[in-house]
Amino acid sequence: MSPHGHHGCDGGHDHDDTPEMGIQYSLFEKIDKDNLECLNEVEEGSGKRIFKPWEERLNFDICVESDADEELLFNIPFTGNIKLKGVMVIGNDDDTHPAKMRLFKNRPHMTFDDVAIAADQEFELTSNQTGTTEYSTKVVTFSSVHHLTIHFPSNFGADQTKVYYIGLRGEFFQAHRHGVTICTYESRPNMSDHKNPLSDSVTHQIQ
C-alpha cells in the first residue's frame, strides 16, 4: 500500500476513551476474522485490521485503501448472533473519507454484482476523524445478525477511499449449536410440562 498522507491525530479527542465505551464497541472480538472479506482492497488482509479495539480507533498507521475505484465491500461473519445498535466509521479529513454507507444483514459472500439490491439501511456519512460520530441502526431490523455486509459505494471525490476504523456497537448472543438449551428443571419432573417461558430466558453479557 502506498504511504498514507496522515500518520497521527490531534491529542484532544480522547474524552470518550472510557472502559464503558470499550465494552460497548467490543463486537470486533466476535467477528470470524478468518472468514472476513474485504473486496477491492489494495493490500490483501488490510480490511481485517481496521476492526480493532476502541482504544486504538485513532491509530492512523493502519487503514484499508480501495484499489480500482472508490468502492469497498466488507463481508463480516460473526461467531454467534449480534444485535447491532450503532456503527462508527473513521476516515481522513479529506476526499478519501467514505460519503455513504449501506448495510445488509445475513447475506454472506456478497459481491459488487449483488449490491444493486435495496440495502437494509443506508447512511449519508460526514467526515469523522475524531471518532465522535456514530450512526444508529434500526435495532428491530438488526436484532439477529450472524453476518453483516458493509458497502461504501462512494467518497467525497477522491479516486480511492480510505478507512481507518469501523466500530460496531451492540450485543452478542452465543449461537446454540447443540439443540435446545438444557434447563435445570429435570430434578422437578412435575413442573417440566408447565414451565414459565420467562424463566428460560438467558442473559448474555459482552465479555
Side-chain angles (χ1 to χ4, degrees), residues 21-54:
M21 293 302 295
I23 292 173
Q24 291 186 28
Y25 275 91
S26 63
L27 283 180
F28 74 95
E29 297 176 343
K30 308 303 181 182
I31 295 173
D32 180 1
K33 287 285 189 70
D34 290 338
N35 292 304
L36 187 153
E37 301 173 328
C38 180
L39 279 60
N40 196 38
E41 58 185 359
V42 168
E43 180 184 340
E44 184 177 356
S46 59
K48 298 180 180 182
R49 295 198 291 271
I50 66 170
F51 295 90
K52 53 191 177 182
W54 170 259

Side-chain angles (χ1 to χ4, degrees), residues 139-184:
V139 178
V140 173
T141 301
F142 293 93
S143 62
S144 182
V145 179
H146 60 80
H147 185 282
L148 179 68
T149 301
I150 302 179
H151 178 216
F152 298 110
S154 60
N155 57 31
F156 288 97
D159 292 333
Q160 273 73 42
T161 296
K162 291 183 181 180
V163 180
Y164 293 86
Y165 172 79
I166 296 178
L168 305 174
R169 183 175 65 84
E171 301 174 21
F172 176 80
F173 304 91
Q174 184 65 51
H176 293 163
R177 304 182 185 278
H178 302 290
V180 179
T181 302
I182 298 175
C183 301
T184 57

Side-chain angles (χ1 to χ4, degrees), residues 61-78:
D61 293 328
I62 297 174
C63 83
V64 60
E65 182 177 3
S66 65
D67 188 6
D69 54 26
E70 72 275 20
E71 288 192 78
L72 285 169
L73 184 66
F74 294 86
N75 284 306
I76 309 163
F78 297 94

Side-chain angles (χ1 to χ4, degrees), residues 79-147:
T79 57
N81 291 324
I82 68 163
K83 177 187 291 185
L84 184 65
K85 298 180 179 181
V87 181
M88 180 178 291
V89 179
I90 296 179
N92 252 344
D93 188 20
D94 59 21
D95 291 344
T96 66
H97 193 292
K100 189 172 185 177
M101 176 173 63
R102 308 174 71 232
L103 304 181
F104 303 83
K105 71 168 185 177
N106 300 340
R107 291 180 176 270
H109 307 297
M110 288 185 71
T111 69
F112 289 111
D113 293 331
D114 301 319
V115 296
I117 63 174
D120 291 294
Q121 192 166 1
E122 297 187 0
F123 300 91
E124 299 293 331
L125 305 186
T126 58
S127 179
N128 180 30
Q129 191 184 16
T130 60
T132 55
T133 303
E134 180 192 83
Y135 300 93
S136 298
T137 60
K138 296 179 289 188
V139 178
V140 173
T141 301
F142 293 93
S143 62
S144 182
V145 179
H146 60 80
H147 185 282

